[in-house]
Amino acid sequence: MPLEKIEDLKVDWDVKRTEVGEVEGIPLPKVICDMWHKIWAFQAKPDDLLIATYAKAGTTWTQEIIDMIQCDGNIEKCKRGSTFDRHPFIEWIIKTKFPTGLEKAEAMPSPRTLKTHLPVQLIPPSFWEKNCKIVYVARNAKDNLVSYYHFHRMNLMMPEPGTWEEFFEKYLDGKLLWGSWHDHVKGWWKAKDSYRVLFLFYEDMKENPRREIQKILQFLEKDVEKDVLEKILHYTQFEIMKDNPMANYTFLPPEIMDHSISPFMRKGVVGDWKNYFTVAQNEKFDSDYKKKMAGTSLTFRTEL
Ligand code: A3P
């Protein structure tokens, strides 16, 4: 039995900004920490596909691309439900009385495509045991930070962002939900050497979406006709997705996301950080980054 769609739920949302707890030192919404034993015990199936990201790295975009591939470019089929309902967000809990990400995943017929923001060490072990395919998308830290800041402003379930300066410091301290960006990307970068992880970059997707979609097709062992590829490219452009009510998060009630503060589909560009970072912040960020990213072969582009 599919669970009720989020936009059809007739409830008093009464949303409050979440309290923050910790699982193994990683800050997570307290409701998630309280249910952690259940999330950890999640039973993945061998044909599950997991889309993993640090929040604001291009998850929704990748979800839409993958759904369009799986639906052979049939946009009407992709509009069968919102991003939120098509791909259960495994660790997500709005409130325990509403369907949780786990319940949505369990109610979904296979093959399932699931979403997570968990760092690699917190992925439920069954994903590794079942050797599931995972698509990981990473975005350069500076744009990721700016996007996360605006997301905290508009998503009224996230902790108070405070000022830009305060948010910037929290990010450097790894104190934001889902923890340190640096550890997240490094952990997943390493995992790709041992597991079936396709590691993509937001900047590459912006630069050449056709090439990156072809990488996904290859990873999923899918072939599509040329006109289907053109359709996928068309419907997953920022400007088109921005107007797609099944992908732009306007399907959530305004009590959760207030797009008048900042739209979910905000700018969708590489390099917006330059409009926010002061010279002093940039220097601090770069020197901290150098230390935290020392010894990894992982590199990012902060402009195109
Ligand atoms: P900005 O806030 O920089 O605009 P996530 O889905 O992981 O939460 O990421 C959201 C970010 O991806 C937002 O970044 C959003 O605008 C951007 N985004 C969403 N769809 C996109 C698309 N089709 N092309 C480029 N960027 C997109």
Side-chain angles (χ1 to χ4, degrees):
M1 250 287 279
L3 297 169
E4 213 173 346
K5 292 180 175 176
I6 192 148
E7 59 270 32
D8 296 336
L9 286 174
K10 299 277 175 287
V11 291
D12 172 12
W13 287 99
D14 185 28
V15 166
K16 291 192 182 60
R17 288 190 178 270
T18 184
E19 284 177 53
V20 180
E22 270 190 12
V23 173
E24 290 178 30
I26 303 296
L28 289 171
K30 188 158 179 313
V31 282
I32 295 182
C33 301
D34 294 345
M35 297 272 281
W36 183 251
H37 59 287
K38 286 202 175 170
I39 296 162
W40 187 248
F42 176 72
Q43 285 308 304
K45 298 177 186 171
D47 57 357
D48 284 344
L49 173 68
L50 184 64
I51 300 171
T53 55
Y54 189 82
K56 310 318 287 176
T59 331
T60 315
W61 185 11
T62 310
Q63 285 176 265
E64 201 61 28
I65 292 173
I66 288 179
D67 198 38
M68 283 217 77
I69 292 175
Q70 291 166 337
C71 294
D72 282 312
N74 183 336
I75 187 68
E76 291 318 313
K77 225 170 151 186
C78 293
K79 290 186 177 170
R80 69 193 178 284
S82 68
T83 310
F84 191 81
D85 286 316
R86 282 178 280 160
H87 301 143
F89 181 7
I90 55 169
E91 69 269 28
W92 195 242
I93 300 164
I94 293 182
K95 282 187 179 183
T96 41
K97 63 182 171 184
F98 303 138
T100 63
L102 285 185
E103 285 164 347
K104 281 177 167 295
E106 280 154 13
M108 181 174 247
S110 287
R112 308 179 293 188
T113 298
L114 309 167
K115 159 186 164 178
T116 187
H117 290 320
L118 291 170
V120 75
Q121 71 277 19
L122 294 187
I123 290 296
S126 64
F127 282 100
W128 311 120
E129 289 156 15
K130 300 283 168 25
N131 197 23
C132 297
K133 285 188 185 178
I134 304 177
V135 176
Y136 184 81
V137 187
R139 184 179 194 182
N140 82 76
K142 293 179 180 179
D143 284 325
N144 210 142
L145 165 56
V146 169
S147 183
Y148 210 12
Y149 171 62
H150 290 290
F151 186 64
H152 275 69
R153 294 174 56 235
M154 65 85 70
N155 184 337
L156 306 174
M157 291 179 63
M158 298 298 274
E160 277 289 348
T163 62
W164 159 249
E165 289 74 21
E166 287 162 352
F167 194 81
F168 177 91
E169 295 299 330
K170 263 195 180 173
Y171 189 82
L172 291 191
D173 292 343
K175 292 275 184 280
L176 299 177
L177 291 183
W178 287 281
S180 149
W181 173 93
H182 310 80
D183 292 344
H184 207 281
V185 296
K186 282 192 295 183
W188 279 99
W189 183 245
K190 202 159 166 232
K192 77 173 184 351
D193 298 334
S194 313
Y195 298 100
R196 296 203 292 173
V197 177
L198 175 68
F199 199 105
L200 299 173
F201 294 90
Y202 181 96
E203 294 73 28
D204 292 350
M205 288 166 65
K206 280 300 290 189
E207 181 182 63
N208 191 339
R210 184 184 300 272
R211 179 190 61 207
E212 300 309 304
I213 292 173
Q214 269 155 348
K215 281 188 198 164
I216 300 175
L217 282 165
Q218 204 180 6
F219 183 67
L220 300 183
E221 298 161 84
K222 278 274 290 186
D223 225 351
V224 292
E225 298 289 337
K226 196 173 173 311
D227 63 317
V228 170
L229 180 58
E230 296 308 321
K231 262 196 198 165
I232 298 173
L233 275 162
H234 175 77
Y235 285 107
T236 58
Q237 290 171 75
F238 178 78
E239 294 303 333
I240 305 285
M241 278 183 59
K242 193 177 167 72
D243 287 338
N244 177 352
M246 288 305 180
N248 65 12
Y249 275 90
T250 54
F251 49 81
L252 290 182
E255 290 88 342
I256 297 183
M257 286 193 189
D258 186 344
H259 296 261
S260 70
I261 298 176
S262 177
F264 181 92
M265 295 286 174
R266 198 182 58 89
K267 286 195 181 169
V269 297
V270 178
D272 188 39
W273 62 272
K274 291 179 190 167
N275 297 315
Y276 292 87
F277 279 52
T278 63
V279 172
Q281 280 176 330
N282 199 32
E283 282 170 6
K284 183 170 179 180
F285 194 98
D286 286 347
S287 91
D288 173 79
Y289 188 91
K290 227 175 162 177
K291 282 185 225 140
K292 289 179 179 156
M293 298 300 276
T296 169
S297 56
L298 177 56
T299 55
F300 284 88
R301 291 184 289 170
T302 53
E303 54 194 319
L304 287 181

